[in-house]
Amino acid sequence: MERVKDALAALDHPERDYPALHVAGTNGKGSTCAFVARALEAAGHRVGLYTSPHLVRVNERIRVAGEDIPDDVFGQRILEVLERYPSARTDPMTYFEFGTVVALWHFSRERVDVAVLETGLGGRLDATNAANPVVTCVTPVSFDHMEYLGHTLREIAGEKAGIFKPGVPVVLSRQDPEAMDALLRRAEQLGVPVHVEGRDFGLEVQDDGRLAYRGLAWSLGDLTLSLRGPYQRQNAAVALACLEALHARGVAVTPEAARVGLATARWPGRLEEVATQPSVVVDGAHNPAGVAVLLEALEALYAGRPLHLVFGVVADKDRGPMMRALFPLATSVHLTPLDTPRSLAPERYTDEARALCSRVVAHASLEDALAGARVDADGSPEGWVLCTGSLFLVGAVKRLLA
């Protein structure tokens, strides 16, 4: 954290110019941030939103008032940071560290009322942990980035809990008991108030199929979610609890604005349909827990329709459980390389794939894999294409089809 803190000090601490919501977790962080940011905008606030990774352009990571940072402003902000912190040239920060400093500086220069910040990896040593939160949040914790965060849920959750600050309320989604224990222990050590999904707040499907929220102070019925998939109910519940906590900390937001936020938020790359005839859907599931909630959504939205899968994965991911969950459901599987040095070459796991699906094709490029899957889908009634396994893949498909 030293380089980030030194840079922010050289910039006269821009992170102190606005309150922030700081969100950690393994899955659901981005959707939760999108719901919160949109609701705060509907409440009349000028909102800074910092997320990662980007799908198509790096500008997507830094947004103010719902708009990506423009190229010319981005360049200007980078030069301003380098001018005020010349050590960045001789003792370079990482890509993510530097981007975080630029984002926090940009939000200050743009005079945002509030910032919504998503951690990149972990929490305790994440560059965003230099921010000034008035509420912190942890979405579901599961196994990912174990080489950095630990090999047990307790260790991983402990790293996520590193964003907790004395006196700053914490919002927690439902968790595995081992992860929840680690999170609650850290909160108790710091003496911070904790709001737990299922105990203090929750979103339920009523008998008539409508969604209702019962929270810390709010009770909202007949809610509509703009983001698809049953798993978004949990993200929406956590977002609403964060909004209630923010309101209690002086960031004014009404239940009506929260309702608008849930109904109008956008978060690309999550069950997003990017083409038709046949339907092509991209989803950023890239770990076993992400695939599990994706399968729940597919059962709700695409049950009975022949699935043609485009799959790519980076080498350090736990691909086995993802493949065993997805591939037997597919009519065909098209393996693709990814545009990153971390890509796992399709030929490295073709045999594994063929043990799980009768039709598997390893392709030399995404263009070939996507074309092959679309041809297969065209040949089956109601056939459709799902591209998943990595956010690198989601971004590449969106660029290709654009």
Side-chain angles (χ1 to χ4, degrees):
M1 295 296 296
E2 286 78 6
R3 287 191 299 260
V4 174
K5 290 180 178 178
D6 288 347
L8 292 173
L11 294 164
D12 198 22
H13 291 289
E15 77 282 5
R16 298 176 183 174
D17 291 341
Y18 43 83
L21 168 69
H22 195 192
V23 181
T26 305
N27 293 303
K29 300 190 300 291
S31 298
T32 300
C33 288
F35 280 134
V36 171
R38 183 67 194 96
L40 291 171
E41 289 165 0
H45 293 290
R46 185 167 174 81
V47 181
L49 176 62
Y50 181 58
T51 59
S52 61
H54 60 275
L55 298 180
V56 179
R57 303 178 73 239
V58 66
N59 310 55
E60 299 165 22
R61 296 179 180 227
I62 304 173
R63 298 172 65 86
V64 171
E67 299 293 333
D68 297 354
I69 185 171
D71 287 345
D72 58 340
V73 177
F74 202 176
Q76 178 183 339
R77 297 292 184 244
I78 289 170
L79 292 175
E80 289 168 354
V81 170
L82 290 174
E83 179 184 353
R84 289 162 176 78
Y85 185 64
S87 296
R89 300 180 185 274
T90 56
D91 182 21
M93 288 181 278
T94 67
Y95 178 86
F96 185 76
E97 289 167 354
F98 189 77
T100 301
V101 170
V102 170
L104 297 175
W105 171 250
H106 178 61
F107 294 158
S108 173
R109 303 302 290 171
E110 289 292 314
R111 292 181 170 81
V112 302
D113 300 316
V114 58
V116 178
L117 309 173
E118 177 191 10
T119 59
L121 191 157
R124 182 175 63 93
L125 298 178
D126 192 82
T128 58
N129 206 21
N132 179 38
V134 294
V135 175
T136 60
C137 168
V138 180
T139 64
V141 174
S142 60
F143 290 102
D144 205 0
H145 302 295
M146 284 90 80
E147 67 274 28
Y148 301 111
L149 304 180
H151 293 273
T152 68
L153 285 179
R154 185 176 301 278
E155 291 174 323
I156 296 169
E159 290 294 315
K160 310 288 186 184
I163 70 169
F164 297 175
K165 304 288 192 298
V168 176
V170 175
V171 174
L172 298 178
S173 72
R174 284 190 177 89
Q175 303 284 350
D176 179 279
E178 185 179 351
M180 183 64 83
D181 182 64
L183 294 167
L184 292 177
R185 282 178 181 273
R186 182 56 180 159
E188 184 180 8
Q189 289 171 359
L190 294 174
V192 300
V194 181
H195 309 301
V196 179
E197 183 189 10
R199 184 189 75 185
D200 305 312
F201 67 90
L203 197 68
E204 298 178 350
V205 182
Q206 298 180 313
D207 292 340
D208 59 4
R210 298 179 179 180
L211 298 178
Y213 172 75
R214 298 291 179 268
L216 314 179
W218 295 349
S219 292
L220 302 175
D222 198 17
L223 295 170
T224 300
L225 306 187
S226 58
L227 305 182
R228 299 196 303 163
Y231 59 88
Q232 293 294 356
R233 297 171 194 158
Q234 180 176 47
N235 298 331
V238 173
L240 287 168
C242 287
L243 289 165
E244 289 197 82
L246 285 168
H247 182 74
R249 298 279 285 171
V251 182
V253 58
T254 64
E256 292 73 22
R259 184 186 298 277
V260 171
L262 296 190
T264 60
R266 292 186 64 255
W267 190 236
R270 278 68 177 178
L271 274 179
E272 181 185 8
E273 186 169 320
V274 292
T276 57
Q277 298 181 334
S279 294
V280 177
V281 176
V282 294
D283 189 88
H286 57 277
N287 53 47
V291 167
V293 295
L294 170 62
L295 291 179
E296 183 183 358
L298 299 188
E299 178 62 28
L301 298 171
Y302 295 96
R305 294 180 57 181
L307 165 62
H308 301 275
L309 184 66
V310 176
F311 186 84
V313 67
V314 296
D316 58 358
K317 293 295 181 181
D318 188 10
R319 69 180 183 275
M322 293 194 285
M323 293 169 58
R324 290 191 292 273
L326 280 168
F327 288 17
L329 305 178
T331 303
S332 69
V333 173
H334 298 261
L335 305 179
T336 179
L338 303 174
D339 186 18
T340 169
R342 296 166 56 202
S343 176
L344 183 66
E347 56 270 20
R348 292 272 304 277
Y349 62 108
T350 303
D351 288 345
E352 293 176 59
R354 286 178 175 153
L356 298 169
C357 178
S358 59
R359 174 165 167 71
V360 174
V361 184
H363 296 272
S365 69
L366 172 59
E367 290 87 346
D368 291 345
L370 184 57
R374 295 178 89 172
V375 167
D376 283 352
D378 271 333
S380 55
E382 293 193 305
W384 66 291
V385 176
L386 171 66
C387 306
T388 194
S390 171
L391 284 166
F392 288 109
L393 174 60
V394 169
V397 171
K398 287 173 69 70
R399 283 192 298 271
L400 181 63
L401 293 178

